[in-house]
């Protein structure tokens, strides 16, 4: 007969094993790329004698990636919701861009060094299928929807293709600036800013400039009879 204490102890062991696997996978994916790392390598790095531990606890690699994203999402969402409440009523694009950037950098600053989440995110973006997982998870955030709605109200009118282009540029900038700083910190290399807070300030400045930059109208390509 399994006692309540026995069930509790087993649940705690399972939870600890899952956390070890998540931590090992996040580090290996960040350093080597998701595709290059096998479930067996993750299991070994997590100290699991059973090479099938990853599949047992998480299923396919895509499920493991989703679990890593969700591991961080709660704290990021908490900061994001707080900032949305503080920014209520603002008509300044910069304020809403800050609501996009600072929750991530604040979370990275709060994690025990070294961190891998920024580099993990950059690696995931290189795979179209895995990138969709991060997009799907982001779409479950009510505060993120609110930020994007408010930001769009503050931005000048842009042609749809320019808006889409700048949205992708801003996203790439945010992902890779954070990943680059995280990598430098992990390697003990010099960083351009002294703290994650200051790095976020520079990133916000750049994204504001990107969104508010003028749009240059260019003529279309010349036709077959053109010059």
């Amino acid at each position: 007969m399994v006692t309540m204490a026995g069930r509790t102890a087993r649940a705690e062991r399972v939870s600890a094993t899952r956390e070890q696997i998540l931590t090992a996978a996040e580090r290996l994916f960040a350093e080597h790329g998701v595709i290059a790392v096998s479930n067996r390598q993750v299991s070994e790095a997590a100290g699991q004698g059973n090479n099938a531990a990853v599949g047992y606890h998480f299923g396919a690699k895509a499920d493991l990636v989703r679990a890593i994203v969700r591991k961080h999402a709660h704290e990021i969402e908490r900061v994001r919701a707080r900032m949305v409440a503080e920014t209520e009523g603002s008509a300044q694009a910069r304020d809403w861009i800050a609501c996009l950037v600072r929750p991530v950098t604040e979370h990275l600053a709060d994690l025990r060094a070294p961190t891998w989440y920024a580099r993990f995110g950059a690696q995931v973006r290189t795979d179209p299928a895995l990138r969709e997982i991060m997009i799907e998870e982001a779409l479950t955030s009510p505060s993120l929807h609110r930020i994007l709605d408010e930001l769009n109200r503050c931005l000048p009118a842009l042609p749809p293709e320019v808006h889409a282009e700048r949205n992708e540029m801003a996203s790439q900038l945010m992902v890779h600036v954070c990943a680059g700083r995280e990598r430098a910190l992990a390697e003990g290399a010099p960083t351009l800013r002294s703290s994650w807070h200051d790095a976020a300030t520079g990133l916000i400045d750049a994204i504001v400039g990107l969104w508010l930059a003028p749009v240059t109208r260019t003529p279309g390509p010349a036709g077959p009879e053109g010059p």
Side-chain angles (χ1 to χ4, degrees):
M1 180 178 179
V2 179
T3 65
M4 180 65 71
R7 286 195 293 268
T8 300
R10 183 181 184 280
E12 289 174 349
R13 288 196 301 271
V14 169
S15 177
T17 297
R18 286 174 61 89
E19 185 63 27
Q20 289 167 352
I21 291 172
L22 286 175
T23 300
E26 184 179 328
R27 175 176 61 82
L28 291 175
F29 291 164
E31 293 176 344
H32 305 292
V34 181
I35 302 303
V37 176
S38 68
N39 283 358
R40 178 174 181 172
Q41 289 172 305
V42 173
S43 293
E44 291 175 350
Q48 301 303 307
N50 182 358
N51 290 331
V54 173
Y56 175 79
H57 286 280
F58 294 98
K61 184 175 286 186
D63 299 313
L64 179 57
V65 168
R66 190 182 298 275
I68 294 170
V69 174
R70 288 179 176 176
K71 173 184 173 182
H72 294 272
H74 176 74
E75 284 304 308
I76 294 174
E77 177 67 12
R78 181 185 61 79
V79 178
R80 190 186 288 134
R82 185 199 76 214
M83 290 195 65
V84 167
E86 294 171 351
T87 309
E88 184 71 40
S90 175
Q92 300 298 314
R94 181 186 180 85
D95 292 340
W96 295 105
I97 290 169
C99 288
L100 290 174
V101 173
R102 290 204 185 276
V104 176
T105 57
E106 186 171 317
H107 177 60
L108 290 169
D110 287 343
L111 294 174
R112 183 187 303 176
T115 64
W116 299 283
Y117 188 60
R119 287 171 289 168
F120 162 81
Q123 294 282 11
V124 168
R125 285 184 66 92
T126 66
D127 184 292
L130 297 178
R131 179 180 178 180
E132 284 301 310
I133 291 174
M134 295 199 79
I135 293 173
E136 289 169 8
E137 291 299 314
L139 291 176
T140 66
S141 164
S143 63
L144 182 58
H145 283 283
R146 175 67 187 284
I147 291 166
L148 294 176
D149 287 344
E150 294 294 339
L151 175 60
N152 287 332
R153 290 191 185 96
C154 298
L155 294 175
L158 296 169
E161 67 277 10
V162 174
H163 189 283
E165 178 183 57
R166 293 187 180 183
N167 184 63
E168 177 62 18
M169 288 178 177
S171 178
Q172 291 279 3
L173 187 62
M174 183 171 165
V175 167
H176 290 289
V177 166
C178 289
R181 175 178 170 78
E182 184 183 70
R183 182 178 296 106
L185 289 172
E187 295 173 353
T191 57
L192 296 175
R193 300 276 183 153
S194 62
S195 67
W196 276 111
H197 183 275
D198 290 350
T201 300
L203 187 52
I204 293 164
D205 287 344
I207 295 175
V208 169
L210 174 63
W211 275 114
L212 301 184
V215 177
T216 301
R217 306 287 182 175
T218 57
E225 298 181 359

